[in-house]
């Protein structure tokens, strides 16, 4: 039988507020173990949580960016289960009334557009971190991460392949980065994706039994885990076995998922509204304030790059990849750089240079205004593209005003015709062979002669002018 | 002169310290000596902070000598229920689970007492985690009623009531979830107030039922209630459920009298189930208030019969959640033999918690568990809305509601321990105020023929504690007979 | 509705992570049964159309500003820890899916 997979994704995003979600501890779990902890996030007797308003703002921003409806009235609930990483033995979360619901995200897969429904995005707190490296049959718990604000984003079962899941995660991450609400670092766990997968006979409209996969540490891991699960489930069904509804762990080393036995009662979470926290009520004004504060989002920005600035699909995609890069590009254009040339420099030399240094645009010392100025210097013939390329690594490394540097280093292009005519005669004299080839009709031979002239001027000769003078000289003979 | 300083009220104490008539150190010594003599018979304290109290009293005296204002409770000795977190000493909730717990922070009310210049004498016994009506559920010891050592002081703030009745502090603080201040106040013949939910910060009160718990004072008279409530009330940024409302000057409105005030008598409370002796004393108190110009009107609170059922669903559900955190990982009792995480939880909880606490955790877990939420918890929340509506309607026809605090006077030890349901039904008159979130106080209104105090409960509109204090003050000034000191006081 | 079986008691004791000895187990079944039987009088009460009262205070949107305050010193953080190496709170080894 032929099967088709149906996939949903739950993504947990750690919000990068300054302080934790219910207490004033520093939101940074890189600190030494158990140093950002207080009575509240340690779940000491007698403490009370107070919701960080920055969490509500950030969650609403994500919800709006994902085209969600923002609940006018929502509340915080307690979700009960026992685990050493949970300080109160309940997690404060949102159960039946999430802050954001019923949104969507449009993604592109193989050039086709596809809409993934967002069921909900709700606010909760992260748990502590367990370490198993202590030995002696003992685990250690570090509560620095306990109480870090966490947004859970849940999709509809709208995803039908591992590639679509990958595209969704990439697009989601891009939006989160654009919003600057999270570090989005999967290895460090500030972004965690848990796919749920089922398969059904092709053409069927009912859903199969699903499994949920945990412990996936990268987007490509998610892709691999989904592919594995699809194969495993199809194989089970083909051999007449049932798929068991369960949680499975991804074993990245072996490339397989493994059943995690969890007691049935572990899912009886006994949710009820947290009496310690007051309802979150969002009026039109609050929602509008957040909407106004949203940056231009990746899709809209790419469209503008294509349609208004006439970039190619490819260039728009690369330049719009991250908000920082797109901001850089926009700033260069505002500073007067022609859009296409700015895009060429960014997607070409600049990103290549940064990639060599394993760095990104945020580390680029060359201001967007400097890029515009450099492009201007090429445009008005002050320097050649060759000189510009030579200057670039320094500009990226140390910054500075390109015009001043060009003048200071005497790199201004030689456009003095008399000087260049004298040089042309010398080149023709020294390279009679190529000169003759040109005269004999091989017009390409001019390239070699121009190259020699550029070499002689250490790249400062105006290549266009040299070409013209050489052509004239050889033609006049 | 200094002989019986421990008999003074809080306002008399601080007035005499300020006037230079006595000083904080002298007052503190008077209490410490009295504690020494009566505590073996009462057993109200879990811990007496002798040296810290002396040091604190001296600091207050020094501040006064230096011309500073040490606050409205300058030099007044206070003791607090041991479910209020203090950096000093331990905070045990009278439970094996927390027998060694040293809080790294002070409850907001403790900070406020400090700021007001009070002198903390120590921590008081309670039913384990404030669950009980007699104090017999303390895992540490039994506190006796200063009026009759064969009888319970009431609960769960039994230590706080007995301590005050025995004059072992000038005032005390307790907590009230379903009557835990008012019932023991009634049993021990003192004043006790549960403020409106949200009036006093709960930060640092070890939670029993978060939507019902309130901290409140036990005092020797109404004037002290005014003084102390003003000192501990107010918005706290650490408690999202504390109300952002101004705190009135209760001491000035206290003297306004009750002339023209309408006192509502709910017919559902004055039934045959009421002990005749209790009814007689309550009646006399109401007549005294009438004599002061108050008007008595009959009212109805039609959903009263459901209050206990609603209360035990909500309080146990919230308790099962609040007490889940005691797992032996970050603090608290940890069983030495735990070989797995599952063992660690099971052994530590089963040995750390007493039976009544376990009973309530089980009941609360049951009513929240899958399939039962709607029938129990959700239904109770709706009924709670109806109970509140009863009060809102009643308060359109009266200013204050008066009822007995308890159907009976203090029980004998062991009398109610066998049947938890009978014990729960003893809270019949007090739980409604917690469910509706309204303020209530209990004040002594005479002795029954068994020699035990009877309490009159006054209930008020939300945040109208002033009306309750004014009524209590009017009663005290009406010339009605006072109780006099308790035999063990 | 009520009537609590020993299996019910075992289920909730499991959820609450309590171990009951045989005697307590039966006493709890009896006590919970009689309390729930009393509670079941609520079935008589018509609550249709009544909103559940989650908070007695009619207050919404209570927040803290996103500012960093003081955390506990290591000494205070571990002061009450039954088992610690001064860096972590220690527990018996946690197994996957436990
Ligand atoms: Zn904290």
């Amino acid at each position: 039988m032929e099967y088709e997979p149906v996939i949903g994704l739950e993504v947990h995003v750690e919000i990068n507020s300054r302080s934790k979600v219910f207490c004033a501890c520093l939101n940074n779990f890189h600190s030494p173990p158990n140093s950002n902890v207080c009575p509240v996030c340690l779940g000491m007797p007698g403490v009370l949580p107070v919701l960080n308003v920055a969490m509500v703002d950030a969650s609403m921003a994500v919800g709006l960016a994902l085209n969600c409806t923002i609940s006018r009235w929502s509340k915080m609930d307690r979700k009960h289960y026992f685990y050493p990483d949970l300080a109160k033995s309940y997690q404060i979360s949102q159960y039946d009334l999430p802050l954001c619901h019923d949104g969507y995200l449009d993604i592109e897969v193989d050039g086709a557009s596809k809409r993934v429904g967002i069921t909900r995005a709700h606010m909760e707190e992260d748990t502590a971190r367990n370490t198993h490296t202590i030995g002696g049959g003992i685990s250690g718990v570090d509560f620095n991460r306990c109480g870090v604000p966490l947004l859970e984003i849940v999709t509809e079962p709208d995803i039908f392949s591992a590639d679509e899941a990958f595209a969704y995660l990439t697009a989601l991450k891009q939006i989160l980065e654009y919003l600057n609400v999270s570090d989005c670092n999967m290895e460090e766990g500030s972004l965690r994706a848990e796919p749920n997968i089922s398969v059904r006979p092709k053409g069927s409209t009912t859903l199969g039994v699903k499994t949920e996969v945990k412990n996936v540490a990268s987007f490509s891991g998610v892709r691999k885990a989904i592919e594995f699960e699809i194969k495993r489930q199809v194989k089970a069904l083909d051999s007449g076995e049932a798929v068991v509804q369960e949680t499975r762990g991804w074993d990245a080393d072996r490339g397989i998922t493994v059943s995690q036995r969890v007691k049935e009662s572990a899912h009886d979470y006994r949710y009820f509204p947290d009496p310690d926290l007051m309802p979150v009520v969002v009026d039109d004004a609050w929602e509008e304030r957040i909407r106004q504060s949203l940056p231009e989002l990746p899709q809209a920005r790419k469209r503008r790059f294509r349609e208004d600035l006439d970039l190619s699909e490819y260039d728009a995609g690369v330049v719009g990849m991250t908000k920082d890069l797109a901001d850089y590009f926009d700033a260069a254009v505002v500073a007067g750089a022609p859009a296409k040339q700015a895009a060429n420099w960014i997607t070409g030399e600049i990103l290549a240079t940064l990639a060599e240094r394993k760095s990104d645009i945020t580390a680029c010392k060359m201001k967007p205004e400097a890029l515009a100025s450099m492009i201007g210097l090429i445009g008005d013939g002050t320097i050649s593209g060759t000189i510009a390329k030579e200057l670039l690594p320094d500009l990226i490394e140390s910054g500075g005003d390109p015009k001043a540097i060009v003048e200071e280093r005497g790199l201004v292009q030689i456009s003095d015709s008399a000087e260049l005519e004298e040089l042309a005669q010398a080149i023709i004299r020294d390279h009679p062979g190529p000169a003759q080839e040109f005269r004999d009709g091989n017009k390409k031979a001019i390239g070699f002669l121009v190259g020699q002239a550029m070499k002689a001027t250490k790249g400062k000769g105006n290549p266009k002018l040299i070409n013209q003078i050489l052509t004239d000289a050889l033609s006049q003979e | 002169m200094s002989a019986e300083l421990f008999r003074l009220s809080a306002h008399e104490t601080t007035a005499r310290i300020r006037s230079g008539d006595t000083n904080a150190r002298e007052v503190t010594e008077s209490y410490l000596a009295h504690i020494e003599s009566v505590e073996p018979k009462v057993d109200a304290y879990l811990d007496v902070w002798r040296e810290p109290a002396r040091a604190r009293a001296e600091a207050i005296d020094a501040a006064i000598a230096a011309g500073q204002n040490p606050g409205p409770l300058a030099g007044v000795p206070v003791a607090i229920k041991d479910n209020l977190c203090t950096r000093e000493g331990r905070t045990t909730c009278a439970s094996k689970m927390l027998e060694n717990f040293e809080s790294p922070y002070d409850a907001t009310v403790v900070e406020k007492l400090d700021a007001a210049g009070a002198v903390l004498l120590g921590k008081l016994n309670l039913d384990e985690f404030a669950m009980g009506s007699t104090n017999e559920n303390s895992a540490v010891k039994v506190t006796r009623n200063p009026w009759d050592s064969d009888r319970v002081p009431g609960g769960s703030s039994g230590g706080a009531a007995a301590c005050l009745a025995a004059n072992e502090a000038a005032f005390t603080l307790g907590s009230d979830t379903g009557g835990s201040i008012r019932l023991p106040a009634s049993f021990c013949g003192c004043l006790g107030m549960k403020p409106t939910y949200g009036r006093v910060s709960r930060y640092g009160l070890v939670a029993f039922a978060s939507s019902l718990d309130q901290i409140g004072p036990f005092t020797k008279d109404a004037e002290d209630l005014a003084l102390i409530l003003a000192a501990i009330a107010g918005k706290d940024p650490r408690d999202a459920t504390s109300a952002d409302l101004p705190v009135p000057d209760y001491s000035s409105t206290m003297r306004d009298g009750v002339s023209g005030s309408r006192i509502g008598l709910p017919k559902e409370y004055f039934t045959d189930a009421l002990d005749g002796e209790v009814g007689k004393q309550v009646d006399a108190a109401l007549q005294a208030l009438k004599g002061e110009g108050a008007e008595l009107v009959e009212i109805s609170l039609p959903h009263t019969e459901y209050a206990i059922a609603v209360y035990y669903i909500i309080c146990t559900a919230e308790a099962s959640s609040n007490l889940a955190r005691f797992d032996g990982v970050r603090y608290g009792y940890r069983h030495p033999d735990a070989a797995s995480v599952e063992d660690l939880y099971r052994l530590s909880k089963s040995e750390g918690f007493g039976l009544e606490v376990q009973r309530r955790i089980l009941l609360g877990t049951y009513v929240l568990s899958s399939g039962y939420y709607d029938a129990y918890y959700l239904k109770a929340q709706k009924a709670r809305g109806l109970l509140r509506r009863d009060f809102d309607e009643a308060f359109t026809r009266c200013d204050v509601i008066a009822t007995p605090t308890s159907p009976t006077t203090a029980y004998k030890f062991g009398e109610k321990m066998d049947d938890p349901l009978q014990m729960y039904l003893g809270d019949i008159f007090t739980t409604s105020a917690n469910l509706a979130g309204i303020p209530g106080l209990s004040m002594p209104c005479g002795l029954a023929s068994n020699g035990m105090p009877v309490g009159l409960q006054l209930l008020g509109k939300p945040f109208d504690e002033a009306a309750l204090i004014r009524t209590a003050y009017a009663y005290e000034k009406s010339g009605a007979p006072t109780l006099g000191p308790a035999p063990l006081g | 509705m009520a009537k609590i079986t020993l299996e019910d008691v075992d289920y909730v004791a499991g959820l609450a992570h309590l171990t009951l000895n045989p005697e307590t187990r039966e006493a709890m079944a009896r006590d919970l049964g009689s309390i729930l039987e009393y509670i079941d009088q609520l079935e008589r009460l018509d609550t249709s159309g009544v909103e559940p009262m989650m908070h007695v205070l009619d207050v919404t949107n209570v927040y803290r500003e996103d500012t960093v305050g003081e955390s506990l010193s290591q000494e205070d953080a571990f002061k009450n820890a039954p088992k610690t190496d001064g860096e972590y709170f220690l527990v018996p080894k946690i197994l996957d899916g436990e």
Side-chain angles (χ1 to χ4, degrees):
Chain A
M1 199 184 308
E2 242 195 290
Y3 293 95
E4 69 173 359
V6 180
I7 300 155
L9 280 163
E10 279 178 21
V11 173
H12 286 91
V13 186
E14 281 180 349
I15 299 299
N16 58 5
S17 54
R18 284 182 288 272
S19 60
K20 290 186 180 181
V21 61
F22 296 119
C23 65
C25 285
L26 185 68
N27 175 9
N28 172 5
F29 56 85
H30 294 300
S31 312
N34 293 301
S35 57
N36 300 329
V37 296
C38 73
V40 176
C41 54
L42 282 177
M44 288 273 179
V47 297
L48 297 168
V50 184
L51 181 55
N52 185 344
V53 71
M55 174 58 172
V56 188
D57 285 343
S59 303
M60 221 189 296
V62 175
L64 290 172
L66 296 176
N67 308 293
C68 287
T69 302
I70 305 299
S71 299
R72 282 291 164 267
W73 198 99
S74 72
K75 64 184 167 67
M76 306 307 298
D77 300 286
R78 295 183 181 182
K79 176 185 182 179
H80 301 83
Y81 61 94
F82 284 99
Y83 206 62
D85 64 5
L86 207 51
K88 304 178 291 295
S89 295
Y90 61 81
Q91 179 190 31
I92 303 178
S93 180
Q94 295 193 288
Y95 179 45
D96 52 343
L97 296 167
L99 181 66
C100 318
H101 59 92
D102 294 305
Y104 62 85
L105 175 58
D106 287 330
I107 59 171
E108 258 172 54
V109 188
D110 298 334
S113 181
K114 133 135 212 167
R115 179 161 290 187
V116 176
I118 306 290
T119 314
R120 56 187 286 159
H122 70 253
M123 303 183 284
E124 57 185 33
E125 56 181 334
D126 209 344
T127 56
R129 256 188 184 193
N130 300 322
T131 167
H132 308 296
T133 54
I134 291 176
I138 283 176
S139 296
V141 193
D142 169 12
F143 285 88
N144 282 349
R145 200 181 69 176
C146 192
V148 163
L150 199 62
L151 184 69
E152 180 175 336
I153 304 165
V154 183
T155 73
E156 292 289 298
D158 281 352
I159 299 166
F160 301 118
S161 71
D163 283 346
E164 286 182 10
F166 189 86
Y168 166 79
L169 290 173
T170 308
L172 177 64
K173 181 174 179 224
Q174 203 176 45
I175 287 180
L176 296 169
E177 282 171 346
Y178 260 69
L179 296 174
N180 189 25
V181 293
S182 174
D183 303 339
C184 291
N185 187 326
M186 258 193 113
E187 276 89 53
E188 291 184 357
S190 55
L191 188 85
R192 308 195 280 275
E194 290 166 1
N196 57 74
I197 302 129
S198 65
V199 299
R200 64 183 174 195
K202 211 168 180 125
S204 164
T205 49
T206 54
L207 290 171
V209 176
K210 68 177 179 185
T211 58
E212 207 178 298
V213 182
K214 293 189 188 281
N215 312 334
V216 201
S218 68
F219 286 180
S220 57
V222 173
R223 194 205 298 256
K224 284 183 203 150
I226 291 173
E227 281 164 355
F228 176 85
E229 261 309 284
I230 295 170
K231 275 191 204 132
R232 190 188 67 83
Q233 293 185 17
V234 166
K235 202 172 151 196
L237 293 176
D238 272 344
S239 56
E241 289 165 35
V243 173
V244 183
Q245 177 155 1
E246 62 180 350
T247 302
R248 300 179 67 87
W250 173 242
D251 183 333
D253 294 336
R254 291 195 285 164
I256 60 169
T257 65
V258 184
S259 175
Q260 292 183 336
R261 267 167 239 295
V262 180
K263 267 185 295 173
E264 185 54 37
S265 62
H267 297 296
D268 192 343
Y269 291 125
R270 287 155 286 142
Y271 281 103
F272 77 98
D274 194 328
D276 291 333
L277 291 158
M278 291 307 191
V280 175
V281 176
V282 179
D283 59 10
D284 292 347
W286 191 357
E287 180 175 327
E288 200 46 37
R289 181 165 61 74
I290 300 298
R291 197 186 292 281
Q292 293 304 327
S293 74
L294 293 183
E296 187 183 24
L297 292 169
Q299 281 168 354
R301 200 164 203 181
K302 270 184 258 175
R303 194 178 320 121
R304 177 168 61 80
F305 289 169
R306 275 197 322 267
E307 292 173 3
D308 298 358
L309 299 179
D310 219 19
L311 297 195
S312 69
E313 177 76 30
Y314 172 80
D315 281 355
V318 176
V319 170
M321 187 65 78
T322 68
K323 180 170 181 297
D324 289 329
L325 200 55
D327 284 348
Y328 188 93
F329 167 73
D330 264 338
V333 172
V334 167
K340 271 183 159 169
Q341 291 180 43
N344 282 340
W345 280 100
I346 291 171
T347 60
E349 299 294 322
I350 293 178
L351 283 182
T353 307
L354 289 169
E356 267 169 35
R357 300 174 191 185
K358 299 200 182 342
S359 153
D360 63 30
I361 196 70
T362 55
C364 179
K365 291 274 171 55
M366 178 169 67
K367 298 260 161 46
E369 295 74 20
L371 174 63
S373 148
M374 192 187 81
I375 292 172
L377 292 175
I378 301 168
D380 68 13
T382 308
I383 58 170
S384 64
T386 316
I387 289 289
K389 278 181 193 169
E390 277 173 25
L391 275 177
L392 208 63
D394 274 2
L395 282 166
I396 289 173
E397 181 75 31
S398 316
D401 174 18
K403 196 170 180 202
I405 293 172
V406 162
E407 278 166 7
E408 188 187 300
R409 301 196 193 164
L411 298 174
V412 175
Q413 190 162 255
I414 302 164
S415 298
D416 179 336
S417 308
E419 191 181 334
L420 291 178
E421 267 167 35
E422 212 170 288
L423 178 68
Q425 293 305 332
I427 296 284
I428 290 167
R429 206 166 47 237
D430 294 348
H431 302 283
Q436 194 51 48
E437 275 181 48
F438 181 84
R439 290 189 198 98
D440 293 347
N442 181 4
K443 300 293 174 204
K444 280 187 191 160
I446 196 77
F448 175 80
L449 298 171
V450 172
Q452 291 305 309
M454 289 303 286
K455 201 168 163 188
T457 58
K458 299 199 174 77
K460 289 191 290 180
N462 180 335
K464 234 169 144 184
L465 203 53
I466 290 174
N467 191 313
Q468 191 57 53
I469 290 171
L470 276 167
T471 308
D472 289 352
L474 289 167
S475 309
Q476 279 165 14
E477 287 174 7
Chain B
M1 157 85 254
S2 70
E4 303 235 301
L5 286 171
F6 63 84
R7 296 204 183 279
L8 299 178
S9 67
H11 63 89
E12 287 164 343
T13 304
T14 193
R16 285 173 67 166
I17 291 171
R18 279 160 193 281
S19 72
D21 205 11
T22 181
N23 59 46
R25 178 65 195 255
E26 225 169 42
V27 170
T28 299
E29 290 303 340
S30 166
Y31 275 95
L32 290 176
H34 185 62
I35 289 169
E36 206 69 44
S37 88
V38 301
E39 183 61 6
K41 290 170 276 178
V42 181
D43 265 334
Y45 277 90
L46 292 176
D47 193 11
V48 181
W49 300 343
R50 289 182 180 78
E51 291 317 310
R54 287 181 172 121
R56 172 80 178 137
E58 277 172 9
I60 297 287
D61 287 334
I64 292 173
Q68 293 158 6
N69 179 4
L73 297 173
V76 180
V78 55
I80 61 177
K81 189 176 182 179
D82 202 23
N83 60 352
L84 293 166
C85 286
T86 51
R87 282 174 181 278
E88 184 70 46
R90 293 186 176 149
T91 301
T92 70
C93 293
S95 178
K96 181 177 176 183
M97 183 58 86
L98 288 179
E99 65 185 335
N100 294 313
F101 180 67
E102 295 177 33
S103 171
Y105 73 100
D106 277 330
T108 297
V109 288
V110 172
E111 288 181 351
K112 290 204 170 217
L113 290 178
D114 267 342
V119 174
L120 265 92
L121 293 178
K123 307 292 282 285
L124 301 166
N125 199 16
L126 65 153
D127 285 298
E128 183 179 1
F129 283 103
M131 295 179 183
S133 310
T134 63
N135 242 45
E136 289 164 292
N137 292 331
S138 167
V140 183
K141 62 179 175 185
V142 167
T143 296
R144 281 175 285 270
N145 193 313
W147 290 85
D148 178 351
S149 53
D150 289 335
R151 290 180 189 269
V152 302
S156 66
S157 310
C163 172
L164 188 76
N167 286 312
E168 294 184 83
F171 72 98
T172 61
L173 293 188
S175 66
D176 189 316
T177 306
S180 281
I181 289 174
R182 290 158 291 157
L183 187 79
S186 160
F187 283 8
C188 293
C190 42
L191 282 90
M193 174 185 270
K194 180 203 93 74
T196 310
Y197 185 83
R199 182 56 104 184
V200 177
S201 168
R202 293 185 292 119
Y203 190 80
L205 166 65
V206 180
F208 161 13
S210 313
S211 77
L212 303 165
D213 295 341
Q214 266 293 290
I215 298 166
F218 289 86
T219 66
K220 297 178 183 179
D221 63 21
E223 190 164 351
D224 277 4
L225 275 186
L227 182 68
I228 290 146
L229 182 60
I232 62 172
K235 171 75 186 164
D236 179 4
R238 288 173 295 194
D239 177 1
T241 66
S242 70
D244 196 3
L245 292 171
V247 178
D249 179 2
Y250 302 112
S251 299
S252 71
T253 59
M254 173 179 76
R255 294 181 173 84
D256 291 351
V258 291
S259 181
S261 166
R262 296 163 304 165
I263 298 179
L265 309 176
K267 59 180 188 202
E268 292 80 4
Y269 285 59
F270 292 91
T271 65
D272 297 344
L274 191 61
D275 179 307
E277 292 271 347
V278 170
K280 211 171 89 189
Q281 297 303 325
V282 167
D283 227 38
L286 293 172
Q287 291 313 313
L289 285 167
K290 196 173 172 186
E292 293 298 297
E295 184 193 341
L296 304 180
V297 295
E298 190 188 89
I299 57 156
S300 174
L301 298 167
H303 294 96
T304 299
E305 61 175 312
Y306 299 108
I308 294 275
V310 173
Y311 173 74
Y312 275 94
I313 292 171
I314 291 175
C315 84
T316 59
E318 294 182 5
S320 74
S321 172
N322 287 328
L323 269 61
R325 70 187 61 193
F326 298 97
D327 57 9
V329 176
R330 288 140 295 130
Y331 49 79
Y333 176 74
R334 177 182 179 120
H335 196 281
D337 302 334
S340 68
V341 170
E342 176 72 20
D343 270 9
L344 171 66
Y345 294 156
R346 282 186 167 269
L347 296 173
S348 303
K349 284 170 185 283
S350 302
E351 294 203 0
F353 290 136
L355 270 191
E356 178 60 21
V357 173
Q358 295 194 35
R359 187 181 291 123
R360 295 198 192 194
I361 289 174
L362 291 175
L363 181 59
T365 305
Y366 181 82
V367 300
L368 288 176
S369 68
S370 176
Y372 294 110
Y373 180 84
D374 286 5
Y376 290 118
Y377 194 76
L378 192 66
K379 179 90 179 181
Q381 295 279 48
K382 289 177 176 176
R384 191 175 181 181
L386 293 174
L387 278 155
R388 170 64 182 248
R389 206 184 292 170
D390 280 358
F391 280 105
D392 289 344
E393 273 164 29
F395 281 123
T396 63
R397 277 172 293 125
C398 63
D399 305 299
V400 165
I401 292 171
T403 81
T405 307
S406 164
T408 67
T409 54
Y411 325 127
K412 293 210 157 160
F413 283 106
E415 199 178 316
K416 299 253 176 176
M417 279 305 272
D418 300 338
D419 186 346
L421 180 58
Q422 282 312 306
M423 176 84 83
Y424 294 176
L425 294 178
D427 298 336
I428 186 117
F429 295 153
T430 50
T431 53
S432 292
N434 301 80
L435 290 167
I438 60 172
L441 68 74
S442 178
M443 54 186 283
C445 64
L447 296 175
S449 58
N450 61 3
M452 296 308 292
V454 173
L456 173 73
Q457 176 176 239
L458 299 175
L459 304 175
K461 297 172 191 170
F463 299 102
D464 194 10
E465 288 85 358
L468 303 185
I469 295 171
R470 189 165 59 232
T471 309
Y473 186 82
Y475 174 76
E476 285 173 359
K477 299 294 165 195
S478 70
T482 52
L483 296 192
L488 293 184
Chain C
M1 165 147 199
K3 197 69 196 138
I4 294 296
T5 64
L6 288 173
E7 287 68 41
D8 292 334
V9 171
D10 291 343
Y11 179 74
V12 288
L15 281 181
H17 285 75
L18 290 171
T19 301
L20 307 175
N21 63 40
E23 226 172 286
T24 316
R25 183 167 166 255
E26 285 188 19
M28 287 294 179
R30 203 172 52 239
D31 292 349
L32 296 192
S34 72
I35 296 163
L36 284 165
E37 200 176 317
Y38 175 82
I39 282 174
D40 279 346
Q41 65 170 301
L42 266 183
E43 285 173 23
R44 293 202 314 266
L45 179 64
D46 181 9
T47 52
S48 49
V50 180
E51 281 296 310
M53 189 162 92
M54 274 175 244
H55 293 281
V56 293
L57 292 180
D58 190 17
V59 173
T60 58
N61 291 340
V62 183
Y63 304 111
R64 40 176 292 272
E65 291 303 316
D66 185 20
T67 48
V68 177
E70 245 179 84
S71 291
L72 285 178
S73 65
Q74 300 283 105
E75 192 196 338
D76 271 349
F78 291 120
K79 186 163 71 172
N80 291 285
K83 231 175 175 175
T84 171
D85 59 1
E87 242 189 324
Y88 294 95
F89 294 91
L90 302 182
V91 295
K93 191 159 185 73
I94 300 164
L95 306 170
D96 261 354
E98 186 171 33

